[in-house]
Amino acid sequence: MKLISLTIAGLPCQVQEGITVAAALSASGQDHCRISVSQQPRAAFCGMGVCQECRVIIDGIQRLACQTLCQGGMKIERSGNK
Amino acid sequence: MATADAIVIGAGIIGAACAWQLAQQGLRVLLVDDQLPGATAAGMGHLVCMDDNPAELALSSYSLNLWRGVVDRMPDNCAWQGCGTLWIAEKPEEMAIAEVKKQRMAALGVNSEMLSSQQVAQLEPMLRGGLAGGLHVPGDGIIYAPNAARWLIEDAGEAVQRVYGEVVALEQQAVVLASGQRLSAPVITLACGLQADKLLPTPLLRAKKGQLAITDRYPHTVKHQLVELGYGASAHAAKGTSVAFNVQARPTGQLLIGSSRQFDTLDTAIDMPLLATMLKRATDFLPGLAKMSIIRCWAGFRAASADGLPLLGPHPAYPWLWLALGHEGLGVTTALGSAALIAAQIQQQRTAIDDTPYLAARMFATEESLL
């Protein structure tokens, strides 16, 4: 099992190669991806790129956590806190 | 059998406005709501002064004045923003169109100002460089029309009672619901958009499909409603498929991207090539859009009359039946004005603006002359 290093909300962590960003968020102990307009925490729901609930900012670009595989050095930020 | 002073069929923005206006005048109204999403649920919700012909300008500016009287009372979920419109001239020759627009609007007291290329760039830095200039109409705005319709109904209080159900037939001063329930009133207003064609002996409307896309939240990227000056020509074309650049910043920071027009289809599926053309047009003006994520796309149907103006007035064959139909893409803008004209006609009062261009009878006169 190969581990890769990345950061989630600025915190360094190691995850298994091949997992999605949604899985990495879940494994980090706090699976929410973003804060909604009505200030509710949201997390991956459909897991297949349809519901758009798991939008996060990866290396500065908004993407779907469930449709993005973790890569070494990724910077993952939870979105919607602007 | 439920009775009232008036029945309004349709609880979209036009029906809600008609019920609200009749209630203001002391009538008890039954508002029939089939709970199906129509044009109000699908559209952009712009309050925009349009001037492609004098009648359109008269109704939209009159109606916008009425909206300004109530927007401050609307709850936050109606998402009213007095963002104004920036009409964008892509090429220098379009500045002449902007100037004509400015003069036409000024004749009806609608304020606007010409903008140079530099002023446009300063007001909206996300726009590409090298645009010729534009026209700023500060009195325009946006709302979230589904909630605005709900609010109008609530604001009318007990004078408007909502009845849920689908109208399956019109009878003399009565409507029949799918449930078999019968409602009657001296006056019935048909304000259910394309659905009206199922109830009238002669169809009056044509579906004009439109597609919209909305991005994720990117706050503070765009401030005004942005529209290309060529929009009017595209919006009112009576045939063919077209797209025009129109972007709004919603209060959430999402960018709502329009718009497209297609005839002769009732398919709600997204037409991908047309969507691509529409988005290409949008990125021509806002190159930064290309890096943003779109989270939803949807299609809806504008109800278009044969001549592009709404039908507002009594049905010539049924004096108890009023038509408030055919608002195409301007239903939100013209809702309060349309409702005020209908209510004045029903009450046999003088209308605030000349209602002749909108009278529904014009559609029937043409048909009779053909016989």
Side-chain angles (χ1 to χ4, degrees):
Chain A
M1 182 178 75
K2 191 182 166 193
L3 291 177
I4 52 177
S5 301
L6 44 74
T7 66
I8 299 177
L11 300 173
C13 57
Q14 292 201 314
V15 301
Q16 276 183 51
E17 189 178 49
I19 70 169
T20 64
V21 170
L25 285 168
S26 183
S28 77
Q30 202 187 43
D31 64 1
H32 90 258
C33 300
R34 64 188 186 95
I35 302 295
S36 76
V37 166
S38 54
Q39 301 304 310
Q40 295 169 316
R42 299 293 178 94
F45 176 66
C46 75
M48 57 185 190
V50 174
C51 76
Q52 308 279 328
E53 287 292 346
C54 67
R55 278 123 65 195
V56 290
I57 300 168
I58 301 171
D59 296 334
I61 295 171
Q62 303 212 34
R63 297 172 74 174
L64 294 180
C66 75
Q67 296 296 297
T68 310
L69 294 181
C70 289
Q71 307 279 346
M74 261 182 180
K75 290 192 174 76
I76 302 163
E77 302 288 339
R78 295 185 170 88
S79 59
N81 294 315
K82 285 173 256 186
Chain B
M1 183 170 83
T3 61
D5 299 316
I7 293 169
V8 175
I9 302 170
I13 197 75
I14 301 295
C18 287
W20 179 83
Q21 187 62 51
L22 289 167
Q24 304 287 310
Q25 304 198 356
L27 274 66
R28 291 170 305 128
V29 182
L30 293 175
L31 178 67
V32 189
D33 178 358
D34 67 3
Q35 297 182 281
L36 293 173
T40 300
M44 292 183 90
H46 44 216
L47 299 179
V48 59
C49 190
M50 291 290 284
D51 66 323
D52 292 297
N53 59 66
E56 181 186 66
L57 174 58
L59 184 59
S60 63
S61 68
Y62 168 53
S63 191
L64 286 170
N65 282 333
L66 297 177
W67 274 115
R68 280 181 210 110
V70 300
V71 286
D72 290 338
R73 292 203 291 121
M74 294 195 310
D76 285 350
N77 71 8
C78 292
W80 151 249
Q81 301 260 294
C83 56
T85 301
L86 267 193
W87 290 91
I88 298 161
E90 212 183 353
K91 300 168 195 134
E93 55 266 34
E94 286 173 350
M95 292 300 278
I97 306 174
E99 184 61 46
V100 169
K101 196 182 236 339
K102 177 185 163 67
Q103 284 168 13
R104 280 186 194 152
M105 291 198 293
L108 283 188
V110 180
N111 176 39
S112 66
E113 56 171 343
M114 297 289 287
L115 300 176
S116 67
S117 176
Q118 291 81 355
Q119 286 170 313
V120 166
Q122 215 163 28
L123 284 177
E124 292 291 352
M126 199 182 155
L127 283 167
R128 79 161 162 83
L131 294 166
L135 183 72
H136 180 217
V137 187
D140 287 353
I142 55 171
I143 55 173
Y144 182 60
N147 284 347
R150 279 187 273 271
W151 174 74
L152 285 167
I153 297 163
E154 278 166 29
D155 190 62
E158 288 180 1
V160 174
Q161 275 188 43
R162 207 184 321 209
V163 180
Y164 294 107
E166 182 199 354
V167 176
V168 291
L170 295 173
E171 292 177 359
Q172 179 76 26
Q173 297 177 308
V175 303
V176 183
L177 303 185
S179 64
Q181 192 185 0
R182 205 161 170 276
L183 312 171
S184 75
V187 168
I188 295 170
T189 301
L190 200 50
C192 52
L194 287 175
Q195 301 294 325
D197 274 354
K198 294 180 190 164
L199 301 171
L200 292 166
T202 316
L204 291 172
L205 303 168
R206 228 175 137 194
K208 210 168 175 183
K209 181 177 175 176
Q211 302 189 148
L212 292 173
I214 195 160
T215 68
D216 203 343
R217 284 176 271 158
Y218 300 93
H220 317 302
T221 43
V222 170
K223 291 182 271 307
H224 301 81
Q225 161 155 252
L226 305 176
V227 195
E228 66 173 291
L229 269 163
Y231 178 89
S234 159
H236 294 276
K239 57 181 180 178
T241 297
S242 64
V243 300
F245 168 64
N246 184 189
V247 160
Q248 292 175 354
R250 303 306 301 184
T252 52
Q254 292 173 282
L255 297 181
L256 181 53
I257 308 168
S259 55
S260 69
R261 284 163 199 82
Q262 254 174 313
F263 281 105
D264 303 321
T265 170
L266 281 170
D267 183 1
T268 55
I270 296 290
D271 178 326
M272 285 296 181
L274 186 62
L275 182 70
T277 309
M278 184 183 103
L279 294 175
K280 172 72 174 58
R281 188 78 188 137
T283 54
D284 284 348
F285 286 90
L286 293 173
L289 273 179
K291 287 192 174 165
M292 295 181 171
S293 303
I294 285 170
I295 60 164
R296 305 258 186 276
C297 299
W298 65 93
F301 301 96
R302 309 167 180 94
S305 70
D307 62 7
L309 284 176
L311 311 179
L312 302 170
H315 190 297
Y318 310 100
W320 45 270
L321 179 63
W322 258 258
L323 305 181
L325 300 168
H327 290 78
E328 238 182 278
L330 266 188
V332 180
T333 294
T334 59
L336 294 190
S338 297
L341 294 186
I342 295 265
Q345 291 166 354
I346 288 174
Q347 300 275 72
Q348 297 183 321
Q349 295 162 353
R350 195 184 155 86
T351 52
I353 61 169
D354 177 15
D355 60 351
T356 319
Y358 325 105
L359 289 175
R362 73 187 187 276
M363 293 299 160
F364 302 87
T366 314
E367 275 172 27
E368 279 162 14
S369 71
L370 289 174
L371 290 175

